[in-house]
Amino acid sequence: MQPLSVWPLKSGFAAVPQLHFDVVSSSFLSTRNRRRKKWSLVESVCHSRNTGFLLVSSNSTFSCCGVCCRSIKLDSKCEFLCGFSSHKLVLFCEPKKSYVGASVMFAWSMEQQEIGNGLLVEEPNSADGLLVETESDIVDYRSVHRVEDTGDNGNQVESEEVEIIGERGVGKQKSGRVDVKALAQSLWHTKTADDVEEVLKDMGELPPQVHSSMIRGFGKEKRTDCAMALVEWLKRKKRETGGFIGPNLFVYNSLLGAVKQSQKFEEMDRIMNDMAEEGVNPNVVTYNTLMAIYIEQGEGSKALNVLEEIKKKGLTPSAVSYSQALLAYRRMEDGNGALKFFIELREKYLKGEIGKGDDENWENEFVKLKDFIIRICYQVMRRWLVKDENLSTNVLKLLIEMDKAGLRPVKVEYERLVWACTREEHYVVAKELYARIRERHDEISLSVCNHLIWLMGKAKKWWAALEVYEDLLDKGPKPNNMSYELIVSHFNILLSAARKRGIWRWGVRLLNKMEEKGLKPGSREWNAVLVACSKASEYNAAIQIFKRMVEKGEKPTIISYGALLSALEKGKLYDEASRVWQHMLNVGVEPNLYAYTIMASIFTAQGKFNLVELIFREMASSRIEPTVVTYNAIISACGRNGMSSAAYEWFHRMKVQNISPNEITYEMLIEALAKDGKPRLAYDLYLRARNEELYLSSKAYDAILESSQVYGATIDLTVLGPRPPDKKKKVVIRKNLSNFCHFADVPRRSKPFDKKEIYTPQTERNQ
């Protein structure tokens, strides 16, 4: 190849030594900036025989002395092409806003066989023998958008976008212009080289640029058969013309691209074999296309092998080659492999082993590769998170390795990873991502925070969810209704757990925490703590919680009154319970079965059976039927207070009401009769329970034996049967507390409970 020498002159001129150029030849020069460019030809050229220079201007039109000169004005841009003997030249200009000092780019002088991709078509009957430019979208040779890749030895691939959709007829040569769109349309149904020959036999000689454009268009429309037929026709023409017309490297690269776009991957090996047979050596663009095809097939390892083959062939991989390798790791979902590959590439780049003596702007390309590896790692981590298996550890490790490599995803990518965390085991990843966003960025999306609160609750990490809510209050953004509802729902779950286990102290602390964070507990939350106090027989705590509930403006419900009545009953505060009952009726709260049962037990313990009868009449008027629990409460109260005869009467009364007694009924009645000196009656009840296939505890068995010995009663031990096994005693409170701490994700040993925590400041002053 023979490069042109350029000497810049004043006023936007450039001087080029006189060379002899052949007609119908052209070349292109690229700044190797791997992005879509719009190419334009220079405004004017002067060739002077006297000086031996070509004068090129980017801002004006000149007359010329000498052999040839031509000036063409088209809109705001003008073009000129001139050519003589065996070499060729094309001058390009892209004017800036100011026409002064507009840049002019000169192409390398190259042999036509090496280029094989001219933009201009010779006019056979042209009187002046000059090259003729084409126009508009037929083949827009004046201004073509192109994406180019440069291989080793300066080979260039130039591809303009050509659409093949239309109903226009066969393109004809008219003043040197070729309608590529219509020409391609005429080849739409070709299957063989003979079909192509039938269409193109009268077209004359076409430049390889037209063939490449049509092949790429066929690929976009997935008409691989047409593209293959055209290449077979070119191969035939090569044999007929002795190599003057035939497929070149750019044609084969376009064909590989068409195969990729149409996903006819099985044709790849055939094309590569054809290239070898035709003596066409692949360049970097060829191998890049092969890598892309392997990636499309999901064979990432083969794509990486192609990269190694590029190096073995003595070619220099381009930035596209490295980006394809990273994409191969992405398809294999190997984030660690991609990161390692980039780190090694970066070391070579910093040492100057990559990009040295290359036309590519590697400073710019490396920034793109850096952004690309971050994007790939993000995509791989997202894929890991949506898989069925738990790959949270892999995500955390890759995040750490990215930190070591100095690669940080942007906030949006962090937030999208948080959204991908949807399972319980993802909470560790979500928590780490949240910490990174808070640490490295000033803002965070409220929807992401709400998602974290939801996820932490799902993973039963209630306090972690509360920490996120606290950050919303302290750091922003301001929580919305969704934030409020989510965190309150988490408190409800914890309070329900405390209620079921009777862990009243934790219930009180949860209420205090809610108020501390500006969350207003509702009746559901207050009732949960009241029930927990009742189960733990903490009547003082229940009284104070009830008072706090009223002071906070929350109206007590029947559940609130029922829990308070139960706590007062267990504390034997019968008079206080009676006042609470009367107050409940006065404020119009309708009693339920539970409240009636508690009051029946309280009145029984006081020996006020007339009030018990009143309770039953009120239940009947309210259409509330007593259950075995109601009778058990009355029988139990009789037994605790030494009223075994009354207990026995209520036992017969429940039988009359067709309510079947259960184990608890028999055990409480037997114990009451045994203590009251009636072992024989207790013995008969024990046998009746056994006949009903009810299995009583050893406590009832021992009460019968002890009472019979004390009072000299005769019982048949063989009929009574063996002693039932003892039931294992459970340390309920300690076990429940441990379970709750594990459930709530809080330490088992917390600070000692201060009774002042029960009171609000107002109620504390009233004590």
Side-chain angles (χ1 to χ4, degrees):
M1 294 186 300
Q2 179 183 357
L4 297 180
S5 301
V6 180
W7 291 276
L9 301 178
K10 295 181 179 180
S11 302
F13 287 92
V16 184
Q18 179 179 347
L19 295 173
H20 293 287
F21 300 94
D22 190 13
V23 179
V24 192
S25 60
S26 58
S27 175
F28 300 93
L29 178 66
S30 167
T31 57
R32 314 312 306 160
N33 195 11
R34 282 197 187 277
R35 62 178 63 180
R36 224 169 260 285
K37 298 182 177 68
K38 192 169 185 177
W39 296 78
S40 302
L41 301 182
V42 297
E43 188 176 61
S44 62
V45 174
C46 281
H47 165 248
S48 174
R49 179 179 296 174
N50 298 329
T51 59
F53 288 92
L54 288 177
L55 298 180
V56 183
S57 170
S58 63
N59 56 11
S60 64
T61 303
F62 296 87
S63 61
C64 68
C65 61
V67 176
C68 64
C69 177
R70 185 170 182 180
S71 176
I72 304 172
K73 291 186 178 181
L74 295 171
D75 298 329
S76 62
K77 299 181 182 179
C78 294
E79 311 171 10
F80 173 74
L81 288 173
C82 179
F84 294 90
S85 67
S86 59
H87 296 284
K88 50 191 184 278
L89 169 67
V90 177
L91 306 176
F92 300 96
C93 172
E94 180 70 31
K96 299 180 181 179
K97 292 182 180 179
S98 174
Y99 285 99
V100 180
S103 61
V104 178
M105 297 178 291
F106 295 86
W108 289 86
S109 174
M110 310 175 81
E111 293 293 339
Q112 183 169 357
Q113 288 299 327
E114 293 177 346
I115 295 300
N117 204 5
L119 278 186
L120 299 184
V121 179
E122 178 184 6
E123 170 56 46
N125 300 321
S126 176
D128 55 6
L130 296 178
L131 299 179
V132 182
E133 71 281 358
T134 60
E135 62 182 2
S136 74
D137 64 349
I138 298 174
V139 173
D140 194 356
Y141 298 149
R142 299 168 303 167
S143 181
V144 180
H145 292 276
R146 22 182 104 259
V147 178
E148 61 177 10
D149 286 307
T150 298
D152 198 46
N153 303 323
N155 291 333
Q156 300 178 14
V157 171
E158 302 153 341
S159 64
E160 77 280 17
E161 296 179 354
V162 178
E163 297 180 357
I164 319 175
I165 301 175
E167 299 296 333
R168 303 174 65 179
V170 178
K172 298 181 180 180
Q173 284 187 304
K174 182 179 179 181
S175 302
R177 294 177 174 85
V178 178
D179 190 338
V180 175
K181 182 185 294 185
L183 184 60
Q185 184 68 29
S186 67
L187 297 173
W188 194 261
H189 299 291
T190 55
K191 300 293 183 181
T192 64
D194 292 333
D195 297 337
V196 176
E197 175 65 23
E198 184 66 25
V199 177
L200 301 182
K201 61 183 179 180
D202 297 328
M203 291 298 299
E205 181 183 340
L206 296 173
Q209 167 72 15
V210 176
H211 301 146
S212 299
S213 299
M214 289 194 295
I215 291 172
R216 285 189 295 273
F218 287 138
K220 291 178 183 178
E221 299 301 324
K222 303 187 185 304
R223 307 288 297 187
T224 313
D225 293 340
C226 300
M228 298 294 291
L230 181 56
V231 174
E232 289 297 324
W233 178 81
L234 287 172
K235 289 165 60 178
R236 177 189 296 180
K237 283 295 181 181
K238 181 178 181 181
R239 293 190 295 270
E240 294 175 355
T241 61
F244 184 72
I245 299 176
N248 59 11
L249 176 60
F250 308 105
V251 169
Y252 277 113
N253 284 347
S254 299
L255 184 58
L256 282 173
V259 166
K260 174 183 175 295
Q261 285 187 310
S262 59
Q263 297 185 342
K264 298 289 185 179
F265 305 128
E266 65 275 6
E267 300 291 346
M268 180 184 64
D269 292 335
R270 175 185 168 186
I271 295 172
M272 295 303 295
N273 292 334
D274 279 355
M275 291 180 66
E277 292 175 2
E278 296 294 328
V280 178
N281 294 323
N283 65 355
V284 174
V285 179
T286 310
Y287 288 113
N288 289 346
T289 309
L290 292 179
M291 293 178 70
I293 291 175
Y294 281 129
I295 292 171
E296 286 289 330
Q297 291 179 291
E299 298 179 350
S301 57
K302 290 186 178 181
L304 296 176
N305 292 337
V306 172
L307 180 63
E308 296 300 320
E309 186 176 351
I310 294 176
K311 300 175 183 178
K312 291 179 182 178
K313 294 290 185 180
L315 300 174
T316 301
S318 64
V320 175
S321 308
Y322 294 118
S323 65
Q324 291 285 8
L326 292 174
L327 188 57
Y329 282 109
R330 158 68 181 87
R331 291 299 175 89
M332 294 188 294
E333 297 184 359
D334 185 4
N336 294 300
L339 184 60
K340 182 180 178 181
F341 177 86
F342 175 79
I343 293 173
E344 294 175 355
L345 179 65
R346 182 174 61 182
E347 292 176 356
K348 293 179 181 179
Y349 171 72
L350 295 176
K351 292 178 181 178
E353 299 177 9
I354 295 178
K356 191 174 182 181
D358 198 345
D359 292 335
E360 291 187 279
N361 183 358
W362 262 98
E363 183 177 353
N364 184 44
E365 296 298 335
F366 187 77
V367 173
K368 294 179 182 178
L369 287 173
K370 181 179 179 181
D371 294 339
F372 194 43
I373 182 60
I374 294 175
R375 181 69 178 175
I376 283 176
C377 290
Y378 151 74
Q379 291 177 343
V380 170
M381 288 187 288
R382 187 177 178 86
R383 288 293 304 165
W384 285 346
L385 289 172
V386 300
K387 284 184 173 294
D388 293 335
E389 55 184 320
N390 182 18
L391 298 176
S392 300
T393 304
N394 295 2
V395 175
L396 293 174
K397 288 181 179 179
L398 185 54
L399 285 171
I400 294 173
E401 293 301 321
M402 290 181 69
D403 287 341
K404 293 179 180 178
L407 302 173
R408 291 188 175 184
V410 296
K411 185 188 74 170
V412 174
E413 292 173 339
Y414 276 136
E415 291 183 341
R416 288 175 179 172
L417 287 176
V418 173
W419 280 109
C421 297
T422 55
R423 298 206 302 269
E424 294 181 13
E425 57 269 21
H426 290 162
Y427 82 91
V428 179
V429 176
K431 189 175 181 180
E432 174 63 22
L433 293 170
Y434 174 75
R436 287 168 178 262
I437 298 174
R438 282 292 189 187
E439 178 184 349
R440 300 174 182 179
H441 302 280
D442 296 332
E443 297 179 353
I444 186 173
S445 171
L446 178 59
S447 61
V448 170
C449 295
N450 289 342
H451 180 75
L452 276 165
I453 294 174
W454 169 82
L455 179 64
M456 295 303 175
K458 184 177 182 180
K460 298 180 176 59
K461 303 299 175 182
W462 318 107
W463 294 112
L466 182 59
E467 290 174 1
V468 176
Y469 186 81
E470 290 173 346
D471 286 343
L472 291 178
L473 297 174
D474 299 337
K475 304 175 183 178
K478 185 179 179 180
N480 58 8
N481 290 337
M482 178 64 72
S483 315
Y484 180 89
E485 292 174 3
L486 284 170
I487 201 67
V488 169
S489 68
H490 294 346
F491 273 107
N492 279 330
I493 294 173
L494 291 175
L495 287 168
S496 296
R499 171 180 59 80
K500 292 177 181 178
R501 293 168 173 82
I503 312 299
W504 67 276
R505 290 184 177 89
W506 268 109
V508 172
R509 286 181 173 177
L510 288 169
L511 282 179
N512 294 340
K513 179 66 73 173
M514 289 184 69
E515 293 183 328
E516 177 186 339
K517 300 306 174 184
L519 303 172
K520 183 181 178 180
S523 59
R524 181 179 179 182
E525 289 75 38
W526 291 109
N527 291 342
V529 180
L530 283 171
V531 172
C533 294
S534 173
K535 286 189 174 183
S537 301
E538 291 289 337
Y539 56 88
N540 284 327
I543 293 171
Q544 296 304 324
I545 294 299
F546 189 88
K547 288 182 179 180
R548 281 182 60 180
M549 180 181 182
V550 175
E551 289 171 1
K552 294 297 181 180
E554 194 66 39
K555 184 178 180 180
T557 64
I558 185 58
I559 297 177
S560 313
Y561 283 106
L564 180 59
L565 289 172
S566 176
L568 294 173
E569 180 206 8
K570 292 175 181 177
K572 296 184 179 181
L573 300 177
Y574 302 136
D575 293 336
E576 288 80 353
S578 298
R579 287 195 292 271
V580 170
W581 172 259
Q582 193 59 47
H583 172 76
M584 182 188 78
L585 297 177
N586 292 339
V587 297
V589 177
E590 294 290 336
N592 58 7
L593 175 61
Y594 181 71
Y596 279 126
T597 299
I598 293 172
M599 291 310 300
S601 176
I602 290 173
F603 290 143
T604 299
Q606 291 178 308
K608 299 177 180 179
F609 289 101
N610 59 326
L611 296 179
V612 176
E613 294 291 345
L614 179 61
I615 290 293
F616 270 78
R617 287 196 295 270
E618 290 181 2
M619 291 176 66
S621 63
S622 300
R623 296 183 179 181
I624 298 177
E625 297 291 335
T627 64
V628 65
V629 176
T630 308
Y631 285 99
N632 286 348
I634 296 173
I635 293 171
S636 177
C638 292
R640 289 195 305 268
N641 292 277
M643 297 180 289
S644 60
S645 297
Y648 192 69
E649 291 177 5
W650 282 99
F651 174 76
H652 279 287
R653 185 170 175 175
M654 69 181 297
K655 296 285 286 185
V656 172
Q657 296 294 328
N658 293 322
I659 298 176
S660 300
N662 56 18
E663 289 90 343
I664 297 175
T665 310
Y666 279 107
E667 287 176 358
M668 290 186 299
L669 183 56
I670 288 172
E671 290 176 21
L673 293 172
K675 288 180 181 179
D676 204 20
K678 301 173 182 177
R680 186 68 190 182
L681 186 56
Y683 171 76
D684 293 339
L685 288 174
Y686 188 90
L687 296 180
R688 183 188 298 182
R690 194 171 64 181
N691 292 334
E692 294 177 3
E693 297 183 353
L694 298 175
Y695 301 95
L696 306 184
S697 65
S698 58
K699 189 175 182 180
Y701 185 93
D702 293 340
I704 294 173
L705 292 180
E706 183 179 352
S707 179
S708 61
Q709 292 174 357
V710 171
Y711 295 102
T714 303
I715 59 175
D716 189 348
L717 294 178
T718 57
V719 176
L720 189 63
R723 182 178 184 272
D726 292 327
K727 295 181 180 179
K728 293 183 179 180
K729 295 182 179 180
K730 299 180 180 180
V731 184
V732 177
I733 297 298
R734 181 174 298 177
K735 180 179 179 181
N736 285 346
L737 181 59
S738 299
N739 290 343
F740 176 81
C741 291
H742 176 73
F743 175 78
D745 192 29
V746 293
R748 171 67 175 83
R749 296 181 179 275
S750 58
K751 64 178 182 179
F753 184 80
D754 187 351
K755 289 188 176 181
K756 291 182 179 180
E757 296 182 45
I758 303 175
Y759 307 100
T760 61
Q762 181 178 351
T763 57
E764 188 175 359
R765 287 193 299 268
N766 295 334
Q767 300 303 314

